[in-house]
Amino acid sequence: LQIDTDIAREILRKVLNFEYHVGLIGRISYPNNIISKQILKPKFHFITADGKMKKQIRLKELADYPLILPERWSVTREYIVKEFRKRGIPMGDCIHCENVSAIKQMVHLGLGGSFFPYYAIEEDIREGRYRSVEILDDLFLNIDLIYVAKRRKSKTLKSFISTLKSLSYPAYFGFS
């Protein structure tokens, strides 16, 4: 088993080219020969070093707030921008960054705020690096397991899915 990280579209390309048996990616549009199953749908939280921000906010309260977002081709970035536009909320200055650690460090330094699922920031919150602010609007990170339909009966794919199902909290991974 080899696990690589990359942007969603690159992982999809490698699955389509049979370089990877399976991918775990943020939701994008898939071609017809890809089978997808949502396995996670964690809610986004907003992180900030701003001690005056309320514990819970609506997305519209971030109008014109400086944001630190993932790289321009990131599915997460596209989703966040789309949600602002859909609600008619003006976006403040945006810093685009390709590295999650760098985004978190910039938030810690007070350069702006960013969006993460809670599991990705839980330890940092406990250590006081920045604050987590609950977003009252429905903003979720949809993570799908994808594979090419022709590989449906692949031993590697079946083994991977079986492993996910056997985890302590199979319902958390979208399996019953």
Side-chain angles (χ1 to χ4, degrees):
L1 175 66
Q2 178 179 334
I3 298 176
D4 291 325
T5 59
D6 209 331
I7 60 173
R9 286 179 184 81
E10 184 62 16
I11 292 173
L12 173 61
R13 184 190 67 74
K14 289 179 178 182
V15 168
L16 285 167
N17 290 337
F18 294 92
E19 295 173 54
Y20 294 171
H21 282 79
V22 64
L24 297 174
I25 64 174
R27 178 160 304 146
I28 57 176
S29 295
Y30 305 118
N32 292 336
N33 63 333
I34 287 289
I35 295 176
S36 68
K37 178 165 184 61
Q38 179 178 300
I39 61 165
L40 291 171
K41 190 177 179 179
K43 189 172 182 174
F44 275 110
H45 284 248
F46 187 72
I47 60 171
T48 180
D50 183 350
K52 296 178 184 176
M53 189 175 282
K54 298 184 290 187
K55 291 182 181 184
Q56 296 179 318
I57 60 169
R58 293 272 175 203
L59 200 57
K60 67 183 178 185
E61 295 175 65
L62 294 175
D64 298 317
Y65 193 88
L67 301 175
I68 304 163
L69 298 176
E71 56 208 349
R72 294 187 187 277
W73 50 86
S74 160
V75 173
T76 300
R77 180 196 175 279
E78 289 174 6
Y79 172 75
I80 297 296
V81 169
K82 183 183 88 180
E83 291 298 315
F84 271 80
R85 286 184 181 147
K86 184 169 80 174
R87 293 170 168 85
I89 303 168
M91 293 184 76
D93 293 331
C94 289
I95 298 171
H96 303 282
C97 185
E98 63 185 51
N99 182 300
V100 170
S101 297
I103 292 172
K104 290 178 176 182
Q105 184 63 25
M106 285 187 242
V107 170
H108 177 71
L109 293 172
L111 298 176
S114 195
F115 301 87
F116 284 93
Y118 193 74
Y119 68 79
I121 56 172
E122 186 175 7
E123 184 177 327
D124 296 329
I125 298 301
R126 275 196 313 269
E127 293 175 3
R129 291 191 181 121
Y130 34 73
R131 295 182 51 237
S132 172
V133 177
E134 183 182 358
I135 301 169
L136 296 172
D137 305 276
D138 291 332
L139 288 179
F140 295 96
L141 175 62
N142 293 293
I143 299 177
D144 295 334
L145 178 138
I146 62 164
Y147 56 93
V148 176
K150 288 181 180 179
R151 285 205 159 148
R152 178 176 301 152
K153 296 181 182 183
S154 156
K155 189 174 181 178
T156 302
L157 178 65
K158 286 181 179 183
S159 175
F160 185 79
I161 291 173
S162 176
T163 300
L164 283 180
K165 286 181 178 181
S166 71
L167 295 172
S168 300
Y169 302 99
Y172 184 72
F173 287 97
F175 300 111
S176 49

